[in-house]
Amino acid sequence: MIKIYHNPRCRKSREGFAILEKSGKEFEVVKYLDEVPSKEELKTLVQYLGIAPIDLVRKTEAIWKEKFKGKTLTDDEVIAAMAENPKLIERPIVVNGKKAVVGRPPENISSLL
């Protein structure tokens, strides 16, 4: 089952959602600001994405700048920061099986379909 970690207030996330709708495939929507992913779920996402946890962080968010910018954090500390502050998670994330992409640009999603 395809899954999208979605923020309806984000234009790129809405564009990614639209790509999935147009695909005609079934998919699950996780509004990750309401249903915050656990640390384990975030670790799995990072693994499926094939990136370092820091690469999933929205570094322009005020929370990041105020609390974390300029600090040297371990991967576990970055994961914890995203679990505690889900606004920091880059979006949208689309998962299909054990592969995932960040939908920035939204066209990245097509590679999973």
Side-chain angles (χ1 to χ4, degrees), residues 17-34:
F17 184 90
I19 289 170
L20 289 177
E21 280 190 315
K22 287 179 187 172
S23 77
K25 298 181 187 242
E26 280 190 41
F27 63 96
E28 176 185 349
V29 178
V30 177
K31 292 182 181 176
Y32 69 90
L33 294 177
D34 299 328

Side-chain angles (χ1 to χ4, degrees), residues 34-101:
D34 299 328
E35 304 169 46
V36 179
S38 68
K39 291 177 189 176
E40 286 306 312
E41 193 173 355
L42 286 167
K43 286 180 184 178
T44 299
L45 284 173
V46 166
Q47 181 182 358
Y48 290 175
L49 288 162
I51 61 174
I54 193 69
D55 296 329
L56 191 57
V57 172
R58 294 175 53 83
K59 295 168 196 76
T60 58
E61 288 290 334
I63 296 167
W64 182 262
K65 291 177 182 178
E66 292 165 10
K67 291 186 172 185
F68 306 104
K69 187 176 180 182
K71 294 183 180 179
T72 302
L73 303 174
T74 65
D75 286 351
D76 285 340
E77 289 170 329
V78 173
I79 294 281
M82 288 188 286
E84 292 167 19
N85 305 282
K87 278 187 171 184
L88 294 177
I89 302 170
E90 189 62 78
R91 61 192 180 248
I93 302 168
V94 178
V95 181
N96 190 358
K98 292 190 177 194
K99 293 184 179 180
V101 295

